[in-house]
Amino acid sequence: MSKISRRKLITTGVVATAGASGLAVAASLARRYGLIPPDSGGLYGPGETLTYAAQRLLTRHSLAREFNRNQISKPPFANEVAPLGEAFKRLQEGAFAGWRLAVDGMVARPASFSLEELKGFPGRSQITHLACEEGWSYIAEWMGVPLSHILNAVGTLPHARYVVYRSIQSDWWESIDMADALHPQTLVAHGMNGSELPVAFGGPLRLRVPRQLGYKNVKYITSLTVTDSLTRFGKGLGSASPESGYAWYAGI
Ligand SMILES: Nc1nc2c(c(=O)[nH]1)N[C@H]1C(S)=C(S)[C@@H](COP(=O)(O)O)O[C@H]1N2
Ligand SMILES: [Mo]
């Protein structure tokens, strides 16, 4: 069977069986094709599986909307963050010259990049929307290195399925699957609206994943781990968000 028709068949199967009685069928199809999100075991499990599986089959390659320069929000509004600790302040005093992004896990060449090194990689800029699950949002221009470029530089192994990313704020960590990690709009962002990324918006380094809600866009990132399983991270639900009741997959 051709790739397209097989894909169509799976999509039809997963979506068409979405009725209450079909959830189990959808879940077993999703399992067969590796479309189960890591937080599928909870109260909303079948719903999470259905959302994720359907999104993955239908929109794997689609782009988040990009806007024109005249649509950039003025002034943008930053969500408040908890006080940044001593380690952050020391790095900030040194103009973030000591900031590192470590990359490890299922990669051929684990590495640790400075901000300067990251800024030297081929960059991309895009004007996209950032939406918080609480309802507010803004449009900004983001500059950064496509995460795919970093993953290619370290040599992601073929069995990799997820990228875990962590903040200097240790309770903020998330993960995305390889479809989002390799997506051209997923950036390790270091700039915003033509300047350095302000601290309020996650500077010096933030994961920008415009196809998912605000909380997946972790500020102050310090490390990435490539993995084929999320069971050994935190409570094994994929990221910090499902541990406090939010969906691991927050596609928009
Ligand atoms: N490290 C860290 N990352 C974070 C947060 C945070 O408090 N700390 N808040 C998240 C939430 S809930 C949202 S909606 C967005 C807010 O991004 P903004 O301040 O650019 O609007 O950042 C996300 N990333
Ligand atoms: Mo949020």
Side-chain angles (χ1 to χ4, degrees):
M1 204 183 297
S2 82
K3 211 172 163 192
I4 296 290
S5 67
R6 195 182 77 136
R7 184 181 140 119
K8 222 172 134 192
L9 194 74
I10 307 165
T11 308
T12 315
V14 171
V15 177
T17 53
S21 64
L23 274 175
V25 183
S28 88
L29 262 174
R31 193 170 307 112
R32 195 146 106 225
Y33 292 99
L35 295 167
I36 300 282
D39 58 346
S40 66
L43 188 56
Y44 303 108
E48 291 305 336
T49 297
L50 198 61
T51 306
Y52 176 63
Q55 283 266 1
R56 274 295 160 268
L57 293 164
L58 296 167
T59 68
R60 182 178 290 264
H61 299 290
S62 68
L63 294 174
R65 180 174 169 197
E66 296 197 15
F67 297 81
N68 298 318
R69 193 143 274 132
N70 63 12
Q71 292 169 295
I72 291 175
S73 308
K74 309 179 209 51
F77 168 79
N79 199 5
E80 226 178 294
V81 294
L84 290 154
E86 280 310 309
F88 185 92
K89 284 185 194 136
R90 271 195 303 279
L91 287 159
Q92 188 173 19
E93 279 159 16
F96 298 121
W99 195 276
R100 311 292 296 189
L101 180 71
V103 191
D104 59 19
M106 296 184 73
V107 300
R109 297 170 294 280
S112 164
F113 300 107
S114 70
L115 270 190
E116 278 319 296
E117 285 171 305
L118 291 171
K119 287 177 185 169
F121 284 160
R124 173 174 171 132
S125 80
Q126 61 209 19
I127 301 172
T128 53
H129 190 236
L130 189 145
C132 172
E133 73 295 346
E134 289 176 18
W136 48 268
S137 68
Y138 64 90
I139 293 167
E141 179 175 27
W142 303 89
M143 286 92 74
V145 188
L147 178 57
S148 65
H149 181 88
I150 296 172
L151 295 175
N152 288 338
V154 296
T156 302
L157 301 182
H159 297 304
R161 290 190 61 195
Y162 306 99
V163 176
V164 177
Y165 44 103
R166 303 177 193 80
S167 169
I168 200 164
Q169 296 187 301
S170 58
D171 46 350
W172 282 91
W173 63 280
E174 281 294 334
S175 67
I176 48 179
D177 66 11
M178 291 313 281
D180 265 334
L182 298 174
H183 188 276
Q185 289 174 314
T186 301
L187 303 182
V188 171
H190 52 68
M192 183 185 184
N193 295 339
S195 308
E196 304 275 283
L197 182 59
V199 168
F201 290 95
L205 223 51
R206 177 178 198 174
L207 204 290
R208 183 72 187 107
V209 49
R211 302 200 311 168
Q212 295 206 38
L213 283 174
Y215 64 81
K216 299 294 286 190
N217 294 254
V218 173
K219 301 174 176 183
Y220 324 118
I221 56 168
T222 52
S223 70
L224 309 175
T225 299
V226 179
T227 182
D228 61 350
S229 162
L230 294 166
T231 56
R232 290 177 308 279
F233 296 87
K235 295 184 181 162
L237 299 175
S239 66
S241 40
E243 295 180 8
S244 48
Y246 293 92
W248 168 78
Y249 181 67
I252 40 180

